[in-house]
Amino acid sequence: MKDLKSIRMEKGLLYETIITTKNEDNIPNAAPIGVICKDTLEIVLYLYEGTHTLQNIKSNPHFIVNITKDPLIFANSTLGDLSTDYFEKCNDNYYIKNADAFFIATINSIKEVEKEDNIGKSRVNIIRANVDEIIIKNEPVEPLNRAIFAIVESLVYFSRIEIVNEETKKIYSKRIKEMSRLVSRVGGIEHKKAMNNILKHVENK
């Protein structure tokens, strides 16, 4: 059986995916959701109360995690509901037709906790799920981790620091530090090393 390593998902990292579920009327739903690779065959999700995804998986513990780089799918599934043309069926579940890979997962626990951040207090459900089956459709599969994009964006700002005025330089430095916090949260060892190198060079400017 394939495990998450076969689709380049590393233990401990968070990946941006599209999760597909279905409601009690068998209507599919898609939503962009970060998935933490807990182990080679286990994932963790953090779902807030009131989402269709949470409602659906509470009534049906099986769902599909789609690996795709298609920006339109991320945008359209965030801004509204995807039309049925985007979906295909697999073992009575729905996946995104043009996903590079997808896997079927089954919930093994749901824990509701109260979370407090800069937005305020909210109820969040910690979902642990097992990976049942992985289907690879297009090689190579490249799951999205935001850390690499934060690093690239930081390097763009860094490359311009020498040619902007002092006020803009402060703005760029602040944005790089914000990107650093993101990398610390979702990145792996190599991402963090790269970001630390950038920060050291920024301090010397």
Side-chain angles (χ1 to χ4, degrees):
M1 177 181 172
K2 296 186 182 74
D3 62 23
L4 293 173
K5 290 180 183 176
S6 69
I7 52 174
R8 301 176 69 181
M9 291 180 72
E10 298 178 29
K11 182 178 178 180
L13 296 195
L14 184 148
Y15 296 93
E16 304 304 322
T17 72
I18 303 292
I19 288 186
T20 46
T21 57
K22 63 178 182 178
N23 66 16
E24 293 177 345
D25 295 323
N26 206 36
I27 297 173
N29 178 74
I33 292 173
V35 168
I36 299 170
C37 182
K38 190 69 176 177
D39 212 331
T40 55
L41 287 172
E42 186 182 23
I43 59 170
V44 175
L45 320 175
Y46 288 80
L47 299 179
Y48 288 94
E49 288 291 338
T51 64
H52 292 306
T53 300
L54 180 60
Q55 292 171 3
N56 289 348
I57 65 174
K58 280 186 173 180
S59 61
N60 176 6
H62 307 291
F63 61 94
I64 285 182
V65 178
N66 300 269
I67 310 299
T68 179
K69 300 185 292 294
D70 189 329
L72 282 176
I73 290 177
F74 276 96
N76 293 343
S77 60
T78 301
L79 301 172
D81 294 327
L82 294 183
S83 71
T84 54
D85 294 338
Y86 280 92
F87 300 95
E88 196 76 60
K89 258 195 168 184
C90 176
N91 297 346
D92 205 35
N93 296 290
Y94 290 93
Y95 68 92
I96 301 294
K97 284 181 182 178
N98 72 344
D100 294 323
F102 64 89
F103 59 87
I104 303 168
T106 302
I107 294 170
N108 60 36
S109 70
I110 301 178
K111 181 181 179 182
E112 187 177 324
V113 298
E114 189 174 81
K115 182 180 178 182
E116 186 171 6
D117 52 27
N118 56 349
I119 299 173
K121 290 183 179 179
S122 55
R123 304 296 295 179
V124 64
N125 291 262
I126 304 172
I127 314 291
R128 295 179 76 109
N130 295 324
V131 177
D132 299 327
E133 182 181 4
I134 296 173
I135 293 91
I136 298 174
K137 297 174 63 188
N138 300 307
E139 294 275 15
V141 180
E142 297 178 8
L144 296 176
N145 177 284
R146 292 166 65 196
I148 185 62
F149 303 107
I151 289 168
V152 171
E153 193 72 10
S154 296
L155 289 170
V156 171
Y157 288 128
F158 177 78
S159 68
R160 297 174 180 172
I161 279 180
E162 293 284 5
I163 58 174
V164 296
N165 59 37
E166 284 301 316
E167 184 178 348
T168 305
K169 185 182 291 188
K170 289 178 182 177
I171 293 171
Y172 285 2
S173 295
K174 182 180 178 182
R175 288 177 182 171
I176 290 172
K177 288 176 182 175
E178 289 170 354
M179 297 292 176
S180 174
R181 286 193 287 272
L182 173 62
V183 171
S184 294
R185 195 168 73 248
V186 305
I189 294 173
E190 296 304 314
H191 296 124
K192 292 171 184 176
K193 283 182 180 177
M195 197 70 228
N196 285 335
N197 286 339
I198 296 170
L199 290 173
K200 286 176 184 176
H201 281 78
V202 170
E203 288 171 3
N204 293 329
K205 289 293 182 183

